[in-house]
Amino acid sequence: MQIQDLPYPDPGVPDARSGPRFLWWLGRNQVGGQLKSLAWGLLHFLSVSTLPFCVGLAVEAVVDRSGARLAAAGGLMALACAGNTIGSTGLHRAAVTNWITAAARVQQLLARKAAELGSALTRRVAAGEVVAVSTGDVEKIGWFVEAMSRFTAAALTVVVVCVGLVVYQPALGVVVAVGLPVLALAVLPLLPRATRRADQQREKAGRATELASDTVAGLRVLRGIGGEELFLDRYRRASQEVRHAAVRSARMWSLIGAIQVLLPGLLLIFVVCYGVHLAREGRITVGQLVTVYSSVLILTYPLRHFEEIAMAYSFSRPSARRAARVLSLERATDSGGSLAGEAPAGDLYDPTTGLLAPAGRLTAVVCGDPDAAGRLAERLGGHPSEPGTSVLLGGVPLDDLPLGDARTAVLVQDKDPVLLSGTLRELLDVPASGDVDARDALSAAQCEDVLAALAQGSLDAEDPMDARITERGRSLSGGQRQRLALARSLVTDPEVLVLDEPTSAVDSHTEARIAQGLQELRDGRTTVVFTSSPLLLDRADRVVLVHDGEVVAVGPHRELVHAEPRYRAVVTRDTEDDAAGSRSRADAALTDALDDTEVLEETDALEEIEETA
């Protein structure tokens, strides 16, 4: 797999039973890249390790005054340098490729899981944790997967050099062959403690990232209720905890690094002293002493990879555990899409609650519990967060359809839709039927002032459609974001459109216009709106009251508001204690809503007359 081949056609089915199993699965799926990196690593490390032998041969040639042997030693040294250059270049390219491809595979898996679960993902995992996994954790996982081949090459090089030294000079070679494994294993007792401290640091950093992400996402609300400083104080405390944990972890890793510098130095001193003793006795030559000394000095380089792999595993294990926890989530109901083919059409029916949305009609659903309304909206879209009986579209269970077909047939817009950064044209460039023009959708969603605001904020954009939207639309108000999201849903023009409180952040005048535009643009299409707004309810062809998880009343808004106390309590915000005066307040609310609509219609008519004049 090359970088230019990304993304993967199919990232595969991960082993998400645990973090280590997930890391092992990633490594097995990159066998080709790992073997390539291993080959380049062996060429690089062995070429570097050959240099001491070349130096030893050169020293012996000088002592013996042999020009031919000196030239041969120089040629071998040049060959070793060339191998080192080629191997180092190839190893770097292969290592970076392995890192990027492993990270890309994890990101594809996370994106696919997010697409499968839809809005149910953030109900089961904190949004901040998903952000942490898809950013910093992906890099840590890629680091470990990439470091495995380099560590293997370094370990094999150490073994080969030790065997070569024993054959080349047994007296000193045995000392080195015994001493190097001791150096490599000396830090093992410290690794569990270092790993625990690294885990604590990563966990605290993950919690701080989650807190920061959730705080930024809800910053506008926090400012509104005066909770900004409270959450900032929490983040400061979490940040300080991360700093203290990082310092404790760094102390342990610095101790491990110091040991890996100290012990090789002691081994080098011992080899020199013992080698000088052997040379004075005439048991070894000066060239052999130089060779063994240089080899021990060079071997400290591959030995550093033992520390790196330990650090990589310590930092990647909690990251892999978090990624595996997200990837192990499954849809509440998933039959694998046994009814592949053309998406069905017809009435939308939920057997659990008894909710029926007739085909081609605008159905409004009133539910006193906002969370229950959100779960019902998810279920109508075919991706529920809880197991249950499948919703039927035209008599066909949505769970039996492939996920793509189900979502093409039924589109759900939740309470807090996300606007991605980019131009307005890119925002509205979504899979669509082609029957609804973007301008018509923006007009129906009453986005004229939004277009003006975007055009004013993007001076270099002549067309408002080319105006840029900041990340998550943070430069826009809540009502403006809602209207742009509604326009995006209208452009898609699905067979069934489910809207969960699409106008909760707009004023009543704009809401009345949106209700009219929605009714006109979705004429002949099935539309389900979860709302308690009288303006939207009065425009609906059919109003359904859901109470305690089941449909308890169906009818026009004007009849229900007079005949059904539970409906009236939700729509007019009445309580049981105010039942005596509820009818008059309901009449007043309905009258105000109708008056607003009439005023708006008169205003529209006057504007048209003025434009004509």
Side-chain angles (χ1 to χ4, degrees), residues 22 113 181 208 246 276 361 366 387 503 585 606:
F22 180 58
K113 181 59 65 175
V276 170
R361 307 287 295 279
V366 176
T503 60
R585 283 191 293 273
L606 290 174

Side-chain angles (χ1 to χ4, degrees), residues 416-439:
D416 187 23
V418 176
L419 302 182
L420 301 179
S421 59
T423 65
L424 181 57
R425 193 183 308 277
E426 292 170 344
L427 176 70
L428 300 179
D429 184 16
V430 293
S433 65
D435 295 335
V436 177
D437 184 72
R439 302 283 181 178

Side-chain angles (χ1 to χ4, degrees), residues 45 48-49 151 153-155 157-158 298-306:
F45 289 123
V48 172
S49 302
F151 164 72
T157 300
V158 171
I298 290 294
L299 284 177
T300 57
Y301 168 54
L303 281 177
R304 299 295 297 180
H305 288 75
F306 286 76

